[in-house]
Amino acid sequence: MGIVLAVVLIAGVAAAVALGRDSGDSGTAAKTVRGVIGSEKAEFFADPDTVKALAAKGFTVRTETSGSWAMDRLPLKGYDFAFPGSKAPADELRRGADAQGGPLRPFYSPLVVVAHRNAAEVLADNGLARLRSDGGSKFTTQGTLLMDPYLTAAKDDRTWQQLKGASGHAELSGTVFITSTDPVSSNSGALYLAAASYVADGGRVATDAKAVERTAPLLRKLVQVQGAQQTSSDAPFRDFISGVGNPLVLVYESQVASLLMSSQRQEVGDLVVLYPDTTVSSDHTLVPLTGHGRELGELLSTDPELRKLAVRHGFRPQGAAAEFSAATADHTAYIDQRLTGVRQAPVPTAEVLRSMAQRARG
């Protein structure tokens, strides 16, 4: 009788396993997906809470980082998704890969300039920036970079020494410029050129070679004054927070917001966040290369827990301003939740933007 019962029990277990397989039950077996992502999203995917939330949905995600504009040169066979920082490099990827349907844009982040307080105040005193009134407090931590006056200063090769009020600050010397990333390989660097070109060309988005040529000399100055450039905004931002490097650095708002909301928050020192009055938002765009990659993109766009975690890492979910506002309510001294007075510049096509970046690099 014992032998008979054992045989029946084993048969029952085998039938249950087979039934689970036939029904597609993935409750115990996660789908492992591989993707290449922009480095600004690395901390989000590495967050143990993100890993846990994805596992609860049956996903194990393995990621590698790359500059957004370098992804289309990678051998993507074996990857399930590519996740650059904006639509333009995603369009390039879709043309060269067998994408599974249209791209998905679960969240976005505008570009901002972080400045040390002395630099921000000198810019404001010389009409290149406007600092927010803070109710009589001695210090301000947020303001607006006036792109037209700033680009005029860049065109004229103005130095800090030529600006009123800079003489008392030894750290402010040499040409006034914003540190950005390599526009040929990095998303933030390319979008910086898109915004600068739009402003310099009288509010026109570049559409052809003639338009690129009109602003090429200025864009070349913006890039070449920097010398060697990083392929990721992460290193320049960390250098800035550590108190080294250039006093003006282009970063994603998400990097600032994530730092402010971190449970292990480090001191931000004399940080001032300048929102360019004309900027470009980085629409983080997932290109699904397999069915599992598409499922992941849809989860990131719709799952409440994953959206909450994206906000915790500073990203603004598409179509959900209230979620971001609630999460950053304690940090409005730095974060402009409504992007007041900020104009969004249209982004050229991928082909034009790549040409613009190459011309700027010389």
Side-chain angles (χ1 to χ4, degrees):
M1 181 63 71
I3 293 173
V4 171
L5 287 174
V7 170
V8 170
L9 179 60
I10 292 170
V13 171
V17 170
L19 182 61
R21 287 174 179 166
D22 291 342
S23 65
D25 182 8
S26 59
T28 58
K31 305 166 189 173
T32 298
V33 297
R34 291 181 64 211
V36 57
I37 63 172
S39 62
E40 69 284 340
K41 294 180 282 290
E43 290 189 1
F44 165 70
F45 279 104
D47 186 332
D49 289 336
T50 302
V51 173
K52 182 179 178 181
L54 287 168
K57 298 296 182 179
F59 280 88
T60 297
V61 180
R62 310 291 186 202
T63 61
E64 300 168 28
T65 59
S66 166
S68 292
W69 283 96
M71 289 183 187
D72 67 328
R73 297 191 291 273
L74 297 175
L76 294 176
K77 184 177 177 59
Y79 287 88
D80 297 283
F81 68 96
F83 205 172
S86 66
K87 179 180 181 295
D91 288 342
E92 289 274 275
L93 283 163
R94 289 184 66 204
R95 278 194 286 270
D98 185 18
Q100 300 294 303
L104 301 111
R105 292 186 284 276
F107 42 72
Y108 68 99
S109 181
L111 289 172
V112 299
V113 173
V114 290
H116 292 299
R117 183 175 296 118
N118 290 338
E121 290 176 349
V122 169
L123 292 180
D125 289 343
N126 289 271
L128 306 182
R130 183 171 54 247
L131 299 183
R132 190 179 73 171
S133 173
D134 47 14
S137 172
K138 183 178 178 181
F139 302 121
T140 185
T141 52
Q142 189 190 126
T144 303
L145 178 71
L146 305 178
M147 283 291 285
D148 196 38
Y150 167 73
L151 292 176
T152 298
K155 182 179 179 181
D156 295 340
D157 300 314
R158 294 184 74 180
T159 64
W160 285 105
Q161 291 91 330
Q162 292 173 324
L163 299 183
K164 177 180 65 178
S167 59
H169 306 291
E171 72 278 11
L172 301 179
S173 63
T175 305
V176 178
F177 69 90
I178 294 170
T179 292
S180 61
T181 54
D182 181 354
V184 172
S185 61
S186 172
N187 181 64
S188 59
L191 295 184
Y192 174 45
L193 297 187
S197 171
Y198 180 77
V199 173
D201 206 19
R204 290 181 290 180
V205 60
T207 58
D208 54 28
K210 288 183 178 179
V212 172
E213 184 63 31
R214 283 197 297 270
T215 60
L218 172 60
L219 301 188
R220 192 175 300 117
K221 283 191 173 187
L222 296 178
V223 169
Q224 295 188 354
V225 70
Q226 301 181 47
Q229 292 178 289
Q230 301 275 358
T231 59
S232 163
S233 60
D234 184 59
F237 182 58
R238 291 185 185 278
D239 286 346
F240 177 89
I241 295 299
S242 299
V244 298
N246 193 43
L248 303 173
V249 179
L250 183 82
V251 300
Y252 295 107
E253 179 197 59
S254 59
Q255 292 172 284
V256 179
S258 177
L259 180 68
L260 294 170
M261 292 187 286
S262 172
S263 59
Q264 299 176 336
R265 178 181 168 184
Q266 65 186 97
E267 283 297 319
V268 296
D270 62 351
L271 169 72
V272 177
V273 182
L274 299 176
Y275 285 80
D277 58 4
T278 301
T279 191
V280 175
S281 283
S282 179
D283 290 320
H284 296 278
T285 305
L286 187 147
V287 178
L289 304 175
T290 67
H292 286 169
R294 181 159 201 86
E295 289 179 51
L296 174 65
E298 291 170 349
L299 269 178
L300 294 174
S301 301
T302 61
D303 183 74
E305 182 62 21
L306 289 169
R307 287 168 66 91
K308 178 180 176 181
L309 289 166
V311 169
R312 192 168 81 183
H313 284 272
F315 299 109
R316 294 175 181 247
Q318 294 284 1
E323 294 178 42
F324 183 81
S325 295
T328 58
D330 293 337
H331 307 292
T332 54
Y334 297 93
I335 301 299
D336 184 351
Q337 296 177 323
R338 297 183 179 181
L339 300 178
T340 309
V342 175
R343 179 173 57 166
Q344 290 291 323
V347 179
T349 64
E351 181 181 0
V352 171
L353 194 53
R354 189 180 290 280
S355 174
M356 190 180 291
Q358 291 169 341
R359 289 296 309 277
R361 280 281 302 274

